[in-house]
Amino acid sequence: MADDQNSIDQNSVGEQGAGESASEDAIDAKPDRSSFVPLFLNKKKKDDSGKSIKATKDQEPTYRYNMNFEKVGKCIIINNKNFDESTGMSVRSGTDRDAESLFKTFRNLGFDVVVYNNRSCAEMHDLLKKASEEDHKNAACFACVLLSHGEENSIYGTDGKIDIKDLTGHFRGDRCRSLLEKPKLFFIQACRGTELDDGIQADSGPISDTDASPRQKIPVEADFLFAYSTVSGYYSWRNPGCGSWFVQALCATLNEYGKSLDLLQILTRVNCRVARHFESRSNDPQFHEKKQIPCVVSMLTKDLYFSK
């Protein structure tokens, strides 16, 4: 049943136009309010040649995250099944099956897994804020799974909804220093709208240690990965007996390839499994024979293998 339904640069120094300076970097949009982008932000530090400081060949990183830490890391699963009547949200039958499968899968990958059931918005916020304030220096990465109802950019606690960014933002590089340059992984099983995917018949057959120089700065939004159960604007499907399509596929694929393939390769296989192996069954024609495709948003800067 649908989760949210009440039952169901080219380098910056490239070719320059006449009269343009090659010595300064600029943004590609005019700020709505100049106070948001002070002029000094457009003037970068320069080296002796007058060009913006660039990474040199001897600073070239290795494109694989270091997993040689004492621990793989912590995995927090927030499993929201029951909701206050005031929210208008239905019971998410099948989510306990998801939580159980996820617990086993991430534990087998070496994570320290903790499951929290039926948490309010404030409790979800405080849980993740507290986790971000912990010392992760002996951990290779961090993972969080959110199981709940949702909307475009928000997810539901038992008492209402909260912006996803309000939860994940605690782990930014400037706020969680012990996870700087380490993967921060968020898996989100929730609706992102009310659109339905009818699918289309295919012609191909039946659907069946840091490498960065100390002088380099790291974007605060780097090294995040968001794996959403569905694309923006759409329902996300869940079966009361088997659990959600996305989590079923995620756990099965991680169990099979979790210690041999890069995470993005794994999630591509998850996309394929959900797209080809699942289709809704409903007595209501409006919700019958519908499809779903997960969505991966990656700011990872290296390949991530869970094996050392």
Side-chain angles (χ1 to χ4, degrees), residues 76 78 120-134 136 142 144 146 162-180 182 184-186 220-222 224 226:
I76 291 176
I78 298 179
S120 67
C121 293
E123 289 170 335
M124 293 168 66
H125 181 275
D126 291 345
L127 267 174
L128 291 178
K129 184 175 186 295
K130 183 178 179 181
S132 73
E133 294 168 348
E134 294 175 3
H136 300 270
F142 172 82
C144 175
L146 303 175
I162 184 172
D163 284 352
I164 292 173
K165 193 143 188 169
D166 287 346
L167 301 176
T168 63
H170 297 300
F171 297 88
R172 288 177 17 158
D174 56 344
R175 298 173 185 171
C176 182
R177 299 294 299 225
S178 62
L179 283 172
L180 184 63
K182 299 177 182 179
K184 280 83 64 173
L185 313 174
F186 291 86
V220 298
E221 303 284 0
F224 278 86
F226 299 91

Side-chain angles (χ1 to χ4, degrees), residues 77-205:
I77 300 173
I78 298 179
N79 176 36
N80 289 340
K81 179 179 181 178
N82 302 305
F83 300 82
D84 293 352
E85 187 177 346
S86 61
T87 66
M89 294 291 108
S90 62
V91 175
R92 298 183 62 254
S93 301
T95 191
D96 290 336
R97 182 73 175 267
D98 282 347
E100 181 183 355
S101 297
L102 288 160
F103 179 87
K104 293 177 181 178
T105 294
F106 279 88
R107 184 179 60 183
N108 289 339
L109 289 174
F111 283 89
D112 299 321
V113 188
V114 186
V115 179
Y116 299 93
N117 295 310
N118 297 318
R119 300 291 162 155
S120 67
C121 293
E123 289 170 335
M124 293 168 66
H125 181 275
D126 291 345
L127 267 174
L128 291 178
K129 184 175 186 295
K130 183 178 179 181
S132 73
E133 294 168 348
E134 294 175 3
D135 189 352
H136 300 270
K137 69 180 180 182
N138 293 324
C141 62
F142 172 82
C144 175
V145 187
L146 303 175
L147 308 172
S148 191
H149 289 296
E151 295 181 5
E152 178 64 65
N153 297 309
S154 59
I155 194 161
Y156 275 81
T158 56
D159 59 345
K161 61 184 177 180
I162 184 172
D163 284 352
I164 292 173
K165 193 143 188 169
D166 287 346
L167 301 176
T168 63
H170 297 300
F171 297 88
R172 288 177 17 158
D174 56 344
R175 298 173 185 171
C176 182
R177 299 294 299 225
S178 62
L179 283 172
L180 184 63
E181 297 185 88
K182 299 177 182 179
K184 280 83 64 173
L185 313 174
F186 291 86
F187 303 87
I188 302 170
Q189 167 57 45
C191 285
R192 302 179 71 191
T194 57
E195 293 184 61
L196 293 162
D197 191 332
D198 293 325
I200 186 167
Q201 184 63 48
D203 294 332
S204 58

Side-chain angles (χ1 to χ4, degrees), residues 234-250:
Y234 282 80
Y235 277 123
S236 185
W237 292 86
R238 171 176 36 82
N239 182 279
C242 301
S244 65
W245 299 359
F246 173 64
V247 172
Q248 289 180 63
L250 176 64

Side-chain angles (χ1 to χ4, degrees), residues 8-19:
I8 43 168
D9 183 314
Q10 226 176 59
N11 294 333
S12 61
V13 181
E15 293 185 4
Q16 301 289 329

Side-chain angles (χ1 to χ4, degrees), residues 192 197 228-232 234-235 237 245-246 267-268 270-276 291-296:
R192 302 179 71 191
D197 191 332
Y228 295 93
S229 61
T230 190
V231 291
S232 175
Y234 282 80
Y235 277 123
W237 292 86
W245 299 359
F246 173 64
L267 291 174
T268 299
V270 172
N271 283 359
C272 182
R273 193 183 294 246
V274 173
R276 293 185 173 273
K291 304 295 293 183
Q292 181 178 322
I293 182 68
C295 175
V296 181

